[in-house]
Amino acid sequence: MTAAAGGAVAVANGGTAASQHDVRLAARTERMRPSAIREILKLTDRGDVLSLAGGLPAAELFPVDAVAEATQRALAANGVRALQYGPSAGLPELRAWVAERHALEDPDRVVVTSGSQQGLDLVGKILLDPGDRVALSAPAYMGALRAFDPYQPTYAPVAMDDEGLDPDALDAVLAEGASFLYAVPDFDNPSGRRAGLARREAILEVCAKHDVLVVEDAPYRELRFDDVEHPPLAALAPDRVVHLGSLSKTLAPGMRVAWMIVPDGLEEITEQAKQATDLHTGTFAQAVAYELVRDGALEARFPHLRTHYRDQRDRLTAALARHVGGRLTYEVPPGGMFLWGRFGDGVDANALLREAIDRGVAFVPGDAFYPGDGPPETVRLSFSLLDEAGFDEAARRLAAALDAYGA
Ligand SMILES: Cc1ncc(COP(=O)(O)O)c(C=O)c1O
């Protein structure tokens, strides 16, 4: 079937030529489009392409044996409950675990979601009418744009510096109104930046001045490479911040277990939106996840995760220094999984990507992370997927692509 949003389309019925009927798609589908990253990943399915593109967590960190044991425990503890429908806001013990980690007095503010991607969708569902403005960093996590798109907002990009959102730029944007600010203060995707404490306070002050809610997305928060830890925005301003946390980067994304912490007053509507969407996140996944995180088991994983991703970052930057040199400039990220860079003036990363794929290396052109046109010379490189030899070869191929491109 072919389809066009807002218009009538012919749908072949079971492939028989004669019977066709018209399907009119909702106007909101006009804004739906495939993720640029998934399109690039299709190209990299070719076995010979080394990928600096995808954002998948390092598979060697998945605790496969521990998941098997946790599954046994979850079923032994109460197998029927783990297989039955459950409460829309999530299993009480998992919500209590989240509440304790965030020092919340009230676990009712926690709603378990199917990935934080669902949290983004629920935020759009309960907060956005068509035409509403969403303030967000430029660049911003592409999946957030795709989650909000169907609710038909307009985007108000806010300039960043090396600590993330620039408070003056934010002030100017919010002066014109916004439904909410979407922010990733810890090791942003794609920029890798982290906001310091003073910056967090400044952002919240500007939001308070204009009475704007903040949606804080924090999936990379635990992947820090130093001892510096700043409070989440939600801890600094619980009444103003919807916080999204996830087990995807610290445990395994296939579990699809994440959570929202909402300000007082939003609990019920969030739960209702969640219920209408999927009744609840799978009780089985929640029960297993709880067994994997309880009694400090999640925190026990952090030292290893941090060392692993820090070493990976260093392997990538060393390979870039060896082969690409000054033709790519970047900030060294203090955490997360991504390095944000710039090729020289005049380089179009989309055109360069074609040369790169031909030579067997892939990356994500930075303009994919902007709601409108972004700077063409920017790029996101992931350091989660390759090993030392892979990074070396990927950087060598990238240099060859730059040679061919004439940069
Ligand atoms: C900033 C950001 N938010 C949300 C998500 C979605 O995470 P989850 O697997 O919890 O849905 C990602 C995934 O890459 C991300 O980078």
Side-chain angles (χ1 to χ4, degrees), residues 55-57 113-120 140-144 182-184 186-190 217-220 244-249 252-254 256-259 337-338 380:
L56 304 182
T113 58
S114 304
S116 41
Q117 192 65 26
Q118 185 181 55
L120 294 168
Y141 169 52
M142 181 191 308
Y182 170 72
V184 185
D186 289 293
F187 322 120
D188 184 26
N189 174 8
D217 191 7
Y220 303 99
L244 307 181
S246 175
L247 294 179
S248 286
K249 316 297 178 183
R256 308 310 296 139
V257 174
W259 54 89
M337 288 170 26
F338 304 109
R380 188 193 78 176

